[in-house]
Amino acid sequence: MSRQYPIETYRNIGIIAHIDAGKTTTTERILFYTGKTYRIGSVDEGTTVTDWMAQERERGITIVSAAVSAEWKGHQINVIDTPGHIDFTAEVQRSLRVLDGGLVVFDATQGVEPQSETVWRQADRYSVPRICFINKMDRIGASYEDAIDSIRTLLGANPIAMQLPIGSEASFRGVVDLMSMQAIYWDDDLGREMRIAAIPEDLKDLAQEMRDQMVERAAEMDDDLTVKFLEGEEISVDELKAALRGAVIRNQATLVFCGSSLRNKGVQPLLDAVVDYLPSPLDVPAVKGVNPNTDAEEERTPSDEEPMSALVFKIVTDPYVGRLAYLRVYSGVLRQGEMVYNPVKGRKERVGRLIRMYADRREDITEVYAGDIAAILGLKDTFTGDTLTDAQKQIVLESISFPEPVIQVA
Ligand code: GDP
């Protein structure tokens, strides 16, 4: 067996939002559009997106679990669940640690709210590169512009508009893609294919102005483009995308998209953006840990050739299969049937079944490669926060912190 996808095509992402912004709906739509069972909906045939999801729920299939894998245009997207109650617990910190990029969902009628600020600061602490989705563009009072302004002023971030909404509130029906300078429409709320068309006359000037701004700001953040821009040379879409991707990965800017996940508008471009602008495991700093035998700090680079190291970020008891340890393999290859060492517990364990979760199925796999996320079934002595490592070249990825003593006041 070898890798199905090269490591640069992996996107380990978290959908980050405070409660009610639409994280669940957006996640469901993402899994729907990336799903193998994707069919174009039709009311007459009773196969609309919503119907499909209702059926999935009836069949008891886990739509959102600790981590779900999805495929989009030759990329593997692993969506890691980030708890809705964002606080400074170990669980939240761990989930932010195992992901490489974030998709932050805002409510278009509210912009940045106090709770979204908390979420944003958490991601700042872990330097998580982010793109933003202004959701609920169909609601009364929705404003893409105001939401972007609040990202700039209240979060102190550097947002760059990548789209321009077409229609507003109940008549919101599409977006201008400022990268390709085309209009994208969804003609109904059923999640059908999008329709590409020319930019409407009345939006042409504004779209051009916004694109010019986007190019100028991308150029400011990229040395090669700065020169080209100043000399008035043509900047290609690929160059522009690369410059923006670099800026996002260095946490210099965030890119803003919009839509309505409930009305199935804007989700496919958002998936394209995840692939185009969020980092792969190769784009983020190598993981650090401690050699438990020497106490020296060590690093593992995301390569299949390195000694295996993995962090267990969540234990879930799945009613159908049993105790699943979700983990991220940072380096090397985790193989079914092999022994791995848990330096935190000082125990060796055998890797029984390896499972990849999709929205609508579980798949048995035989290897998990560097940069990927999957679950091991049947580990007895391994808990959340534990490292699994090559027994010869050991590393502990997460320092063991002891809880504060609880002082009882009589
Ligand atoms: P979460 O708490 O962030 O997971 O948010 P949910 O996905 O559960 O959404 C919260 C509420 O907002 C639900 O009633 C959704 O139906 C609604 N909602 C989500 N997305 C949209 C949208 O695009 N437009 C409108 N009008 N409502 C939405």
Side-chain angles (χ1 to χ4, degrees):
M1 275 294 284
S2 59
R3 277 181 173 277
Q4 189 181 1
Y5 293 102
I7 189 164
E8 57 273 19
T9 65
Y10 283 71
R11 297 291 179 273
N12 295 317
I13 65 159
I15 299 172
I16 306 174
H18 72 74
I19 290 162
D20 230 36
K23 185 176 105 172
T24 310
T25 316
T26 307
T27 308
E28 283 181 346
R29 284 349 185 226
I30 283 181
L31 295 177
F32 171 75
Y33 284 106
T34 55
K36 287 234 154 90
T37 42
Y38 176 32
R39 283 169 295 171
I40 295 170
S42 141
V43 203
D44 305 331
E45 292 164 27
T47 54
T48 61
V49 178
T50 334
D51 285 349
W52 175 83
M53 283 189 297
Q55 286 169 18
E56 294 302 297
R57 282 212 195 89
E58 275 166 28
R59 299 211 308 257
I61 291 168
T62 328
I63 289 193
V64 182
S65 75
V68 185
S69 299
E71 290 154 1
W72 184 252
K73 299 188 177 170
H75 288 68
Q76 173 156 314
I77 302 177
N78 296 318
V79 182
I80 296 132
D81 187 41
T82 54
H85 297 277
I86 296 277
D87 52 26
F88 286 87
T89 60
E91 188 192 356
V92 173
Q93 297 189 30
R94 205 170 282 127
S95 71
L96 288 173
R97 207 191 140 157
V98 296
L99 50 86
D100 298 319
L103 172 59
V104 187
V105 181
F106 296 90
D107 179 332
T109 66
Q110 308 292 320
V112 172
E113 298 171 77
Q115 284 187 68
S116 28
E117 221 179 310
T118 317
V119 172
W120 192 267
R121 302 280 168 239
Q122 274 277 19
D124 273 345
R125 246 172 78 126
Y126 288 83
S127 304
V128 176
R130 272 151 277 179
I131 58 175
C132 301
F133 182 58
I134 311 299
N135 187 34
K136 307 197 187 182
M137 286 299 298
D138 60 312
R139 280 188 64 191
I140 292 172
S143 168
Y144 180 61
E145 259 185 20
D146 290 354
I148 295 181
D149 277 347
S150 70
I151 292 173
R152 184 181 304 109
T153 53
L154 299 174
L155 300 176
N158 181 20
I160 300 180
M162 299 297 288
Q163 294 172 334
L164 175 60
I166 303 174
S168 64
E169 301 175 346
S171 68
F172 170 70
R173 56 193 183 280
V175 295
V176 175
D177 172 21
L178 297 174
M179 183 59 75
S180 65
M181 288 300 266
Q182 289 174 319
I184 304 174
Y185 291 100
W186 291 268
D187 291 327
D188 52 39
D189 293 349
L190 302 176
R192 291 183 184 164
E193 290 295 343
M194 44 196 210
R195 182 168 59 84
I196 311 281
I199 301 176
E201 267 322 304
D202 60 331
L203 289 179
K204 272 191 174 154
D205 290 348
L206 179 58
Q208 191 57 52
E209 193 185 309
M210 287 173 76
R211 189 178 205 274
D212 292 345
Q213 269 179 28
M214 184 238 278
V215 174
E216 186 172 348
R217 293 178 60 202
E220 279 166 12
M221 293 180 290
D222 183 289
D223 292 345
D224 293 343
L225 283 202
T226 311
V227 177
K228 281 197 155 190
F229 183 77
L230 292 176
E231 290 176 357
E233 278 179 52
E234 189 68 38
I235 294 174
S236 71
V237 162
D238 285 346
E239 287 173 316
L240 197 51
K241 281 189 176 174
L244 290 170
R245 180 159 203 266
V248 169
I249 292 173
R250 292 188 303 272
N251 268 292
Q252 280 181 302
T254 185
L255 310 180
V256 192
F257 300 83
C258 67
S260 162
S261 45
L262 187 67
R263 310 263 173 241
N264 298 303
K265 295 181 168 78
V267 182
Q268 301 101 319
L270 194 58
L271 280 160
D272 289 342
V274 165
V275 161
D276 286 343
Y277 304 112
L278 287 179
S280 84
L282 294 182
D283 298 313
V284 295
V287 71
K288 287 192 169 47
V290 171
N291 180 326
N293 302 311
T294 62
D295 278 344
E297 190 171 274
E298 288 188 12
E299 244 183 36
R300 293 284 184 271
T301 52
S303 154
D304 298 341
E305 314 306 324
E306 286 260 301
M308 201 285 292
S309 69
L311 179 73
V312 175
F313 61 92
K314 186 134 188 180
I315 301 280
V316 175
T317 305
D318 183 297
Y320 299 97
V321 288
R323 189 173 186 269
L324 287 171
Y326 282 86
L327 46 74
R328 170 170 179 155
V329 174
Y330 280 94
S331 59
V333 184
L334 178 69
R335 292 193 169 84
Q336 189 202 11
E338 285 189 356
M339 298 300 287
V340 288
Y341 187 67
N342 178 338
V344 182
K345 299 291 175 319
R347 295 237 169 109
K348 272 195 171 178
E349 292 212 72
R350 184 172 298 280
V351 179
R353 276 171 72 189
L354 286 172
I355 292 177
R356 184 185 300 294
M357 292 297 225
Y358 290 95
D360 54 358
R361 70 201 149 95
R362 301 176 191 81
E363 198 173 282
D364 276 88
I365 52 178
T366 51
E367 288 98 14
V368 187
Y369 293 89
D372 201 0
I373 285 171
I376 306 187
L377 183 67
L379 294 184
K380 285 187 214 70
D381 297 317
T382 297
F383 292 85
T384 305
D386 286 358
T387 300
L388 296 176
T389 161
D390 183 300
Q392 309 307 318
K393 301 247 171 61
Q394 295 177 17
I395 190 165
V396 177
L397 296 176
E398 185 171 306
S399 60
I400 314 156
S401 57
F402 297 96
E404 295 280 312
V406 178
I407 300 164
Q408 298 261 343
V409 181

